[in-house]
Amino acid sequence: MKLIRFGEAGKEKTGVFINDKYYDTSAFGEDYNEQFFETDGVNRLAEFIKLNDGNLPVIGANERLGSPIGRPSKIVCIGLNYVDHAKETGATPPKEPVVFMKSTTALCGPFDNIMIPKNSVKTDWEVELAIVIGKKASYVDEADAMDYVAGYCLHNDVSEREFQIERGGTWDKGKGCDTFAPLGPWMVTKDEVSDPHKLSLWLKVNGKMMQNGTTANFIFNIPSVISYVSQFMTLLPGDVISTGTPAGVGLGFNPPVYLNPGDVVELGIDGLGTSKQEVVAFSN
């Protein structure tokens, strides 16, 4: 299944994407959130759709898409998880996964605007594969880690490099600004992704290809990442782990290239859809 949420920001309804059409599943009565995933919501939703075949309302083409999942308890990100990206930033490929957090208030829809933060001059792009956790995970063995995956999403890990790198402390403050986590268009359930380690992912800025990679080049694969993160924090149903970005970010160019108001970012991953964001200046 391909799960969506649609409508006004903060008031999204639930839906699904089937055979190139969007359908309203709000009659199911639950948001796609922690409780939904914790209570076998994916299978219950599939049964609801089956029982209501032919009766689900079609969603209008002009409806806004929000994040395909409700605000999670946390968004965990893995840094420098592609060798080519580590090299372009001048970093040594890590011996263990680099873990940082992205504020859940950064979450937005796949076609929402990216707002450059106040006092920012180095806002950057990063196409990433995101994992959605399906059940509570603590001290998970690698051999069992895929059992904890509910599905996958396209994610743009928007980053402010000055805040992240030049201002001291952790990376988090360059990662959690409002609109810095466009997610979706869909959450694709794991049964529809035959091998998440063989997915092409790409990103364009103003029509120019900037990133063109494959998850086959992960330094740390999905089971190892889930197992690793679960050693340091409990992952809850609906939590997101973003798995890193391939080469081609603005920071990696010489000289670096960063986003400006009016720029358009487009990105996609095999089977997970595409998204598009216009860059706008900061406003209250």
Side-chain angles (χ1 to χ4, degrees), residues 73-220:
S73 82
K74 51 191 167 290
I75 302 171
V76 185
C77 297
I78 307 301
L80 305 174
N81 199 25
Y82 291 74
V83 172
D84 55 1
H85 175 56
K87 288 181 178 178
E88 74 173 347
T89 62
T92 301
K95 295 180 180 179
E96 295 188 28
V98 175
V99 178
F100 62 91
M101 307 292 283
K102 201 170 182 80
S103 172
T104 59
T105 52
L107 195 66
C108 65
F111 302 101
D112 290 346
N113 293 335
I114 294 171
M115 184 172 66
I116 293 181
K118 194 174 185 179
N119 302 317
S120 165
V121 293
K122 296 183 179 180
T123 296
D124 203 349
W125 58 84
E126 295 188 10
V127 60
E128 303 198 3
L129 171 66
I131 307 159
V132 179
I133 297 297
K135 59 183 181 179
K136 186 176 180 181
S138 180
Y139 297 104
V140 172
D141 290 334
E142 277 192 42
D144 302 322
M146 296 303 288
D147 294 339
Y148 292 82
V149 176
Y152 304 94
C153 295
L154 171 64
H155 176 220
N156 188 357
D157 175 20
V158 186
S159 309
E160 212 296 341
R161 302 303 189 186
E162 182 185 9
F163 299 176
Q164 175 190 354
I165 299 169
E166 301 173 33
R167 299 283 295 274
T170 67
W171 288 5
D172 301 49
K173 61 192 176 190
K175 297 286 189 171
C177 303
D178 291 352
T179 74
F180 270 26
L183 198 69
W186 321 307
M187 190 209 85
V188 180
T189 52
K190 68 177 179 180
D191 59 293
E192 293 195 6
V193 180
S194 58
D195 189 348
H197 300 100
K198 292 183 179 179
L199 300 177
S200 295
L201 64 171
W202 56 270
L203 182 145
K204 298 178 181 179
V205 178
N206 299 328
K208 181 180 179 181
M209 187 71 76
M210 297 297 195
Q211 295 183 273
N212 191 6
T214 170
T215 59
N217 290 335
F218 281 150
I219 297 173
F220 305 103

Side-chain angles (χ1 to χ4, degrees), residues 10-106:
K11 299 179 180 179
E12 289 92 348
K13 298 178 181 180
T14 62
V16 288
F17 184 63
I18 302 172
N19 295 329
D20 296 325
K21 288 186 178 180
Y22 292 108
Y23 295 93
D24 185 339
T25 62
S26 55
F28 182 66
E30 301 176 33
D31 199 359
Y32 301 152
N33 55 20
E34 180 180 338
Q35 183 178 7
F36 169 82
F37 291 108
E38 187 174 32
T39 56
D40 196 31
V42 170
N43 287 325
R44 291 187 296 106
L45 178 65
E47 184 64 23
F48 171 83
I49 293 168
K50 183 178 178 181
L51 291 172
N52 290 275
D53 184 32
N55 296 315
L56 294 175
V58 177
I59 298 169
N62 294 326
E63 286 280 5
R64 169 189 174 269
L65 290 184
S67 162
I69 61 170
R71 185 183 294 178
S73 82
K74 51 191 167 290
I75 302 171
V76 185
C77 297
I78 307 301
L80 305 174
N81 199 25
Y82 291 74
V83 172
D84 55 1
H85 175 56
K87 288 181 178 178
E88 74 173 347
T89 62
T92 301
K95 295 180 180 179
E96 295 188 28
V98 175
V99 178
F100 62 91
M101 307 292 283
K102 201 170 182 80
S103 172
T104 59
T105 52

